[in-house]
């Protein structure tokens, strides 16, 4: 796998529940390079603290149990993960408990890079089966289109997200 993906995936991608941001902001050196929040919770005070302490963070809200968890947010999180992986940056990916939404993004990213599914407790497949995401075949096609878009990002002058959805309509 390119750039030793397995090593990056196991050692530089951390999954957790919502962290104690105030305590985390005071840890030195920083325990990760980038933080991605995929919970549906956003606290302005937390964003201020993280920014003041120089953390790079993103918020891509995913719904917990609606018909559509949030494909657009998954796309955003995947794109940031792709850039972090290629830059060998460490990432804290979290949702409220670290057991569903962040695990969906983790499994989606694994598939995007390896074109195989995680074998244990795959929340991406679970959410396809429970109809919170498109069916497995559809999500696999979409993830491969995301990969093609990320690899060839220089060819897009906008509409990259729309292009990834084109064959799913």
């Amino acid at each position: 796998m390119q750039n030793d993906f397995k090593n990056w995936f196991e050692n530089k991608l951390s999954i957790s529940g919502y962290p104690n941001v105030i305590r985390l902001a005071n840890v030195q050196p920083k325990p990760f390079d980038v933080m991605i929040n995929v919970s549906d919770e956003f606290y302005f005070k937390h964003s201020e603290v993280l920014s003041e302490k120089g953390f790079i963070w993103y918020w891509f809200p995913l719904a917990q149990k609606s018909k559509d968890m949030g494909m657009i947010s998954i796309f955003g999180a995947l794109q940031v993960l792709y850039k972090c992986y290629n830059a060998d940056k460490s990432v804290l990916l979290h949702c409220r408990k670290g057991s569903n939404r962040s695990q969906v993004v983790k499994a989606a990213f694994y598939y995007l890079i390896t074109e195989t599914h995680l074998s244990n407790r795959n929340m991406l497949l679970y959410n396809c089966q429970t109809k919170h995401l498109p069916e497995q075949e559809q999500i696999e096609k979409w993830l491969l289109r995301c990969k093609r878009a990320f690899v060839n990002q220089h060819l897009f002058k906008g509409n990259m997200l729309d292009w990834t959805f084109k064959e799913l309509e």
Side-chain angles (χ1 to χ4, degrees), residues 65-82:
K65 295 189 179 206
S66 70
K67 185 177 178 194
D68 176 9
M69 290 183 80
M71 296 289 288
I72 294 169
S73 287
I74 293 171
F75 175 86
L78 291 174
Q79 189 168 29
V80 171
L81 282 171
Y82 185 80

Side-chain angles (χ1 to χ4, degrees), residues 5-159:
F5 175 73
K6 184 177 181 185
N7 183 50
W8 182 90
F9 191 79
E10 291 175 358
N11 298 304
K12 295 218 172 181
L13 176 59
S14 301
I15 307 297
S16 81
Y18 207 99
N20 181 324
V21 172
I22 306 304
R23 187 178 323 140
L24 181 67
N26 292 313
V27 173
Q28 290 299 327
K30 293 178 190 156
F32 52 84
D33 298 312
V34 175
M35 181 168 72
I36 302 172
N37 175 2
V38 292
S39 77
D40 57 356
E41 298 175 68
F42 177 83
Y43 301 105
F44 190 75
K45 181 65 178 167
H46 291 174
S47 67
E48 286 180 322
V49 168
L50 290 168
S51 294
E52 286 170 6
K53 297 291 185 170
F55 282 85
I56 299 169
W57 59 274
Y58 298 89
W59 181 47
F60 298 109
L62 294 177
Q64 180 71 4
K65 295 189 179 206
S66 70
K67 185 177 178 194
D68 176 9
M69 290 183 80
M71 296 289 288
I72 294 169
S73 287
I74 293 171
F75 175 86
L78 291 174
Q79 189 168 29
V80 171
L81 282 171
Y82 185 80
K83 289 178 184 250
C84 288
Y85 161 59
N86 282 305
D88 199 33
K89 294 189 178 287
S90 58
V91 177
L92 173 65
L93 173 62
H94 78 84
C95 56
R96 181 73 187 138
K97 293 182 181 177
S99 60
N100 185 25
R101 293 169 281 192
S102 56
Q103 296 292 339
V104 165
V105 174
K106 176 184 176 182
F109 189 65
Y110 188 88
Y111 187 87
L112 184 139
I113 298 297
T114 68
E115 299 181 23
T116 60
H117 288 288
L118 284 172
S119 56
N120 59 339
R121 202 169 163 265
N122 190 320
M123 295 308 290
L124 175 67
L125 297 179
Y126 172 79
N127 279 282
C128 290
Q129 292 164 355
T130 57
K131 310 282 189 231
H132 301 302
L133 288 171
E135 293 178 6
Q136 180 178 339
E137 183 180 332
Q138 294 273 341
I139 205 84
E140 289 171 349
K141 280 185 190 177
W142 180 72
L143 289 168
L144 294 178
R145 286 182 69 83
C146 287
K147 181 178 184 175
R148 284 179 48 205
F150 299 161
V151 168
N152 298 295
Q153 190 167 353
H154 61 284
L155 300 176
F156 290 88
K157 294 175 177 55
N159 299 326

